[in-house]
Amino acid sequence: MADMAVSRFPEPAVLDKGWIPRGVSRCSTAQFLGWLSPWVALLLLGLYAGWMCLRDGLYHTNMDHRFVFGLWIFLDLAIIALGAGAFFSGFLFYILRWHEMGAVIRSAVVLGFLCYSGAVVVLMVDVGQPLRAWFTFWHPNTHSMLAEVTFCITCYLIVLSIEYLPLVLKNRKLSQIPSFLVFEFQLHKVMPVLAGVGTFLSFFHQGSLGGLFGVMYGRPFAYREGFGIWPATFFLFILSAIAAGPAFLMLTTWLTEKISGHRLVRGSVYRLMARTSGVLLTAYVFFKCVDTVIWLNSTSQQAGFRPWEFYAWAPFGSWVLFLEIVVLGLLPALILLRASEEGPRRWLLCGAALACAGIVVNRLVFTIQTLALPTLPFDEFRTYLPNWVEVATFLGVVAYAVIVYSLSFRYLTLFPQEKELARATARGPQQEEIHVSGR
Amino acid sequence: MAAQAKIPTPPPQKQRRYGMVIDLDRCTGCGACMTACAVENNVPSGPPEADERKGINLMRVFTVRERNSRRTAFIPILCMQCGDRTPCETVCPQQAVEVDPLTGIVEQMPQRCLGCRYCMAACPYQARTFNWWDPAWPAGMETTLNPGVAPRMRGVVEKCDLCHSRLHAAEDRAAAEGRRDLNPGEYVPACVEACPTQAIVFGDLADKASEVSRLAAQPESFRWLERLGTGPKVYYRTRRRWVRDLARQGGAAPNQEVTRG
Amino acid sequence: MSATRRDLLLMTAAGAGVGMVFTPVPWKLLDDVSIWTQNWSWLPKHPRGEITITHTVCPLCPAGCGMKVRRVNEAPFAVSSTPGGALCARGFAGHQLPFHQSRLRTALHRGKAAPLAEALEDAAAAVERARRSGAVVAVLDQRPGRMVSVLYRQFLAGFPRAQYVTLPAPEEGTLRAVAELTGRPPRSLGYDFERSRTIFSVGAPLLDHWGAPGRLLRLWGAPERKIRFWHAASGNSRTAALSDRWMAIRPDSEHALVRGLISILIREHGAGAGLALPASLSAFPPEEAAARTGVPLAQIQELARELATARPAVAVGGGDPVAGPLPAATEQALSVLNALLGALGTPGGIVERRPVPQPTLPPGLPAETTLARAPARSIDVLIVDSASSGCAWPLELIQDKLAPDAVTIHLSAFRTAWTAQATWTLPVPAPFEAWEEIPETPGSRLASWSLAKPLFPMPEGAISPEAVLHRFGLPEDQTLDALLQAKAAAIEKAGRGVVRPLAEPDESSPVGEGLWDQLTEGAVWVDDPEPAPRPLRAAIPDLPDLPQVASTAQFPLLATPAGSRGGAGSMPSPPLASKLTRESHLEPAAGEVRVHPRTAESLGLKHRGRAVLATPKGETAVVVRTDPGMADGFVEVAIEGDRGAETLALFPVSRDGAWRWSPAQLRRA
Amino acid sequence: MFPGVSGFEWSVAHVIFLGAFFTVLVVILASLTAAAIRYLRAWRERRAAAIRWHAEFEELPPAERLCRHALTGTAPGRLCERGFDCRTCAEHPAFAAREAQGLVAVPNGIDHSPDRFYHRGHAWVEPQADGTVLVGMDELAERLAGPAATVELPPPGAVLDTHSIAWQVQREGAVARVLAPIAGRVEETGSREQGWLLRIRPEGKLDLRHLLHGPEVAAWFQSELERLQGLLAPAAVGPTLADGGLLVDDLPTAQPEADWDHIYSAMFLRP
C-alpha cells in the first residue's frame, strides 16, 4: 500500500487501475500483493488452527476447566470495544449530525464490520458446538447476558453488513452496473434508520458484555451491584467502549495514513475525535473510580472476601488497578483533552494509544484475572498462557481484518477527504495548512 | 433421560430438596467416590494429555494442607446444587441448565449445551467440566458403559446431577410398586454408595426428619462460600477448627496458611 | 432490458425463498441438524438389556474385597462394595481392565508380537531343554498360598533343580520377622487390630490400601473409636494425614526410631521384664534416636509412654507397596519392639493364624523362597505368574537372580515393562476373565477363602496358566480344579469356619455340605478365630545398627518412590485410575515429583515446572509439584503407570532387597 | 423463541426481550424492504441516470462543485447543491439577472461560440432551426482528448437523460465519459471532423437555463484552465500552455507522464 505520489522513474504498473477510485493514487499491483502476501499466509495459518479446533475439539487450545475463557474471549471483548467506533461515529454522524465525522464514518463502518465479524468467527471456533449456535435463538434464556449479547451482536452484524454494502457497491467498477448504483442510492436513504438501530443494538451489547461479568455473583472479583437488572459494569463497558471507539479510529486512520503515505482526513477531524474520546474517557475514569471504591469496600466484602485480597496474587497486584485507572485512563484522558485544543499530532495519537490500551487491559482483567483468582478458599491461583493454536487463530482474524481493510482502502472510497487533500497537497503545502488549522 | 419415557404412572409429587452432608473427618481421600462416579456416569478416561486442568471429574477430592502444622484435610467437591440463586442456571444463554423444581437437582442438558462455558466461569465451585475431547473408550470397553446414562459428546459442559439416572430408576421401581414417593435410602448417588467410610450422608433436605437435615442443622456443618448467597445443598461438617475457619473466608490468599497440595 | 430480466430472476428467487418457509423442507432440515448435532453417530451407544446383579470378590489384588456387580447382557457396567465392604478406588473401575489399551491379544517374543502356538512351542522346548540339562527352573509367584501356587510347585517338582520364588506382600514384612524370631512358618501370623488400643505404624500405609482396606478403615472410622493410630514416616501420605499422631521422621531413620523406642521402653517403662535382653538394646541412646529422626525426644518419649500404657499396642512395619520393604534389620528391630510390648501372641497384637485345611499334597514339592533370598544369577528358566500383588518391584530384583542367557516366560494379560524384558510372553486371561482364587488377606488374623467369578468369557487367543503348565510337561491329571475341589473338601471335612454370602454377609452359616457351590455362587469362607491366642515365645537377639541413607554433594536431596497399590505393579491400573492420578493429583501421577515449596524455590523450580531427576543410577524427566506437606530436602517420586518401572529403576536395591531411598538431584530441565 | 418452542414462557422478561428483538428485526427488514421498493420504483421510472448523476455529484470535491456564479465572482465560494441543474434553483434567476448587466468576457485562448450553450462537463448544445440540437465537445475537451482519441457514440434512437453518459472518448489507458448536456433522443450521429457529434431531439420544451452561455463561458473556461493546470502541476515538466497562454493541441501527447485517467475524471466531472 505504501506509495509515493510521483516518481521520476517509470512507475510500476497499477494493473487494477480500473477498480481504484478516481482521483487517488495507489501503489502498484505487485507492491499491493507483496503487502498482502504475509497477511494471507497468516490467514491461512489461522484457518488451519481454527479448523483443527473445529475438527478435533478444543483440546488443541491451552484453555482448561478454570480458564474457560482464554485469549479468544479476551481479545473478542477488546476488539468489540474498539470496534465501537463504528456505532458511535454512526450515532454522531447520522443522529447528532456531526458532519465532520463524515470523513471517517466509512472507515469506521468497515472497521466495525471487521471487528464484529472477526469476533463472531473466533466465537464460533471458541464454543464447543458451533452447529448448535442457533439454539440460543431457539431457546433463549432471557436472564442471560450472553443471550442478549448473542442477539445484539447478530443483529448488529447484519446492520453493519448492510452499512458496508453501499461502500462496496460504490466501487468504481461496480457502480457502473446501474442497478447496483440505484440500489446503493436507495440503501443510503434508509441508512439513518439503520444507524439508529445499530446504535441501539451496539449500546446494549457493549453493556451486556460488561454485564456478562458483572452478574457473576459466584465470582466476587467480577461481580458488581448496579441498577435494576444491569450491574455497574454494564454502564462502564458502554462508556469505555464509546470512549475507546474514536481513539481506535484515530489510530487506525493514522496507521493507514502512515502505511499508504497519503493524507486521509483533516487535522480538525483528529481533534474532534480526540476531544470526544477525552471527554468520554474522563467520565469513564470518574465512574470507574466510584465503582471500584464501592466494590472494594462493600460488594466484595459482603461476599466474604477481604478488601485487596484479590490483588494479593502475583502477577496481578494492585498495580493492575493503578495501571488501568491512572496510567491508561486518567493520563490519556488528560492528554486527549489537552492535545485536542493545541499541541502536535503525536500527542493525540499517544493519548489515543494509551486509551485503547486501557480498554484492552480492562477487558483482560475481567476475563483472565477473574478466572485466575480462586474462589474456594483452598483452591489455587492459576496462570494461563495461550498456545500457538489460539494465537494463530486470532492472528488469522487479524490478518483477515487487515486484508479486507486493505482491499477496502484500495478499491473503495473510505476517506472522502483523501482526494481533496491529495489535490491540496499537489497544489502546495500552504493551502493545506489553511485546511488543517481551519477547524 | 431414557428412563423418562418409560414411567407409566405419574412421578412422585412430593417436593424434595436433595442434598448431602459430607463429613470431612471421615473422608480418607481414597478417591473411591471419584472412580465410582466416573464409572456410573460413563465418563471416559481422558487421553494421556488429560490432566487435572482438562480431565473430567464430576467429583473431585482436593488435598488441602495447612502449611505450618502439616495437617491435611481431604475435601470432596462436586456440584453444590445451589438452590437459591443458581449461578450457572441464570447465565446459560439457551436454557441448558435447569433446576428441577421437584427435586432441587441442578440439571445440565448436554444435548442443548452450546459449549460456551459461561456457566463454568460463573460457578464459584469449579464444579463444572468441559468435554475438551471426543469421548473415547478402547475397543470393547463400550460394552461396560452404564445403559442408564448417555455419554456426552465433545464440546459440551457436564457436571454432577446427583446420578439422575439412579433417581429415575428408583422412581420407576417405586411406581411399579404403586408408590408415589421414594423411601429414604432408595435413591443414593454413586459416590455416596462408594464411600468406604460412609462420610457422605445423602437425603432430602426438605424432609426435616431426615438424617441429612439433622446433620445439616448442626453447628459443625457449614457450606463453602455461603456468603455468596447461592444456597448450596451440599453441606460439610468437621470438628477440626482450622477446616471450619477456611469456610469463613472467601477466596484464599497466597500468604494464608492453607494451600492445595 | 437485461436489468429487468435480472430483476425478474431476483424476484423469483426471493419469492421462492419466502415460499420455502411455508414448506416442511426448512423445518425438517432444522430438525435433522438439531438431532444430528445432539447425537453423533460416532458416540458409543450404551447397551440395553436386562440388568442383573452378581456378587463376587475383586481379583485385582490379594485383598479380595467383596463386589456387587451390576451387569447388562452379562457385561458388567458398574460395581459397588458389598455390605460392610470397602472397595478401593481402583476396584470401582476394575471391570474395565480387560479392555485396557495395553491388553495383549497375541504372544510376545522379546517384546514383539508372535503367534501363540509358536511362542508356546518354543517356550516349551526351552523348558524341556532345562529339564534335560538340569538347569534351574523357577516360578515367580506374587500371590502365594493359592491352589495354583500348589500347581506350580507340583510342576516344579518334575525338575531336577527348581525354585519356587515368591514376592511377599508388604503387609507380611514384620510378621515374617516375628515368625523367624518365634520359629513359626511364613504366613502363619496375623494382626489382631480389632482388639488393639494403640497401633503404631512405621512407614506402613495402614489407612491406604493396606491389607483388606475395609478392615482398617472400619476401625479408623468407627464412632467413638478407642484405637489410637500413630504413624512414623517421612512422607505426608494419606495414612500420615489420617493418623491421630504423625511423626515426620527424617528419611531412612525408622531403625533409629525403633531402637530409641526399645531403649526408652526398657529404661523407663520396664518393658521386657522376664525376657533375656541383650544389654545393647537399652544402650542405644534415645537422644540419638531424636537426633537421627529429627523428632523431639519428648515426642518419642510420649509415644513410648503411650505404647507402654495404652495396651494392647502393636507396631506394624513391612514397608509400602511402592516404596518397598523396610530393611531386614529394621523389621527385626520391630519384632523385638513387639516382643517388648507384649504383643506376640496376645489379643490385640500379633497372633497366630490358624492354617487353612489343605488337601494332602504329594511329597517333594519345592519350598518357598523369597525373591530377595534367591541366590544371585541362579535361575536359568523363570516363569512369572500373572497374578499381581498390586505392588511395584524393581526389575533389577529379578534380573540379579537370572543366570546369563536365562530364559524368562511371562504369563501376562497385558503388555508391561516386565513383558518387554521377557523372552516369551504368553497371553493369559485378564482379571474378570477366569476364575481367580483369593486366599486369606495378608496381615489378617483369620484365614479365609473365596473365588472371583469371571465376568467376561475368556477371549480367543488367551491361554490359562494351567494349560501352559500342562504344555510345559505338568501331567494332565494334575489340574487346578481338582486341587480347588480338594481344598473345599478339606475345609468341609475340618468343619471349621463360617460361610458368608457376599450379598448378605450377616447371614453367615457354618460350613457344611456344598461349600464349593456356595463359594462359586459368591461367598467367602472365613475361619473361626482361635478362642484364645497362644503366646509366642521369642529369644530376643542383639540388634545390629543400620547406617542411614545420606545425601551427597552431587545428590543433595533424598528421593523415595511414592504411589498407591495397583498404580505400578506387574499389571496396569484400570483406565479410570487416571481420574485419581493425572486428572486430579489425588494420587501421584506418572512422571511427577513432589517437593516442599522451599525446596523447589531453592532449586529454582516452579510448581508444574519441568525438571530432571537424577540419582546415582540414572536420570529421568519429571514435572515438579510443590506440596507444603512435604519435608524440606526430600523428593517423592511418583511410581505410576507405564513409566513406573522405568522410574523405579532409578532407586538402588540394597542387598536385602530394599529400595526405599536414594540420594538424588533435581534440576531445571 | 416462539410460543410452543421449548423454553418459551409468558414472563415479562421474556416478552420484553423477544419483543425488542423482533422489533429490531422488523425495523431492519422494513428498512431493507423500503430500500428495495424504492429501488424498483426508481428503476421503473428510469431514474437510474439521474440517480447516478446525483450520487456522483455528491462525490465531487468542492472545487468541482462551485456554482457558475461563483466562477464569475457574483457569488464567491458558493457551492452548487442541485447537480448543476439551474432550472430548479431558486437563486439562479437572481444571480443571472445581476450578471446580465455587467459581465465582461475575458479572452483566455479557448474558442467558444456565442451560439452554443456549454455544459460543465465540456459538452455544448447548439439549437437548430428544426427544433433539434447539435451536441459536441468543446475545445478544451478536444485538446484533452487529443487527435488520437476515438469517440464512441450512442446509436441513433438512443434516449439520453440530462447528465447521463452521452459518449465515451478513449485513449490509450484512459477513458473519458462525457455527460449529456440535455435530455432527448439521438437522431443522428456526427463525428469530430464534422464538428458535432450528436443531433438530438430534445424531450419536451427546450430549456437550456442550466447551461453556460454568454460572457460567463469565458470565466468558466478560465477556471477550468486553472483547474487543469493544478491537475497537471505535479508532472508539469513538459509544455502545457504554449506561449502566451495558448493551449497545445494534443495535451496527452505533450504530457505523457500525467495521470490522464485522473485528469479526465476531474475535468469531465466523474468522481
Side-chain angles (χ1 to χ4, degrees), chain D residues 55-68:
Chain D
E56 295 189 345
F57 183 76
E58 292 284 305
E59 293 280 303
L60 292 179
E64 292 168 21
R65 272 194 289 139
L66 281 177
C67 173
R68 64 204 271 187

Side-chain angles (χ1 to χ4, degrees), chain B residues 235-257:
Chain B
Y235 289 76
Y236 292 78
R237 52 187 266 111
T238 178
R239 286 189 301 275
R240 286 175 282 180
R241 269 288 293 278
W242 71 273
V243 181
R244 277 212 301 277
D245 285 348
L246 272 183
R248 290 214 198 95
Q249 308 154 1
N255 50 1
Q256 241 167 258
E257 296 308 304

Side-chain angles (χ1 to χ4, degrees), chain C residues 332-391:
Chain C
Q332 199 183 21
L334 273 165
S335 63
V336 170
L337 175 63
N338 275 314
L340 292 179
L341 294 174
L344 301 188
T346 51
I350 293 169
V351 296
E352 272 188 294
R353 181 163 64 207
R354 294 166 83 181
V356 184
Q358 296 278 353
T360 28
L361 300 175
L365 299 184
E368 179 183 336
T369 25
T370 62
L371 186 60
R373 293 197 181 169
R377 289 178 296 285
S378 64
I379 300 171
D380 295 299
V381 175
L382 177 69
I383 299 169
V384 182
D385 177 54
S386 65
S388 166
S389 63
C391 301

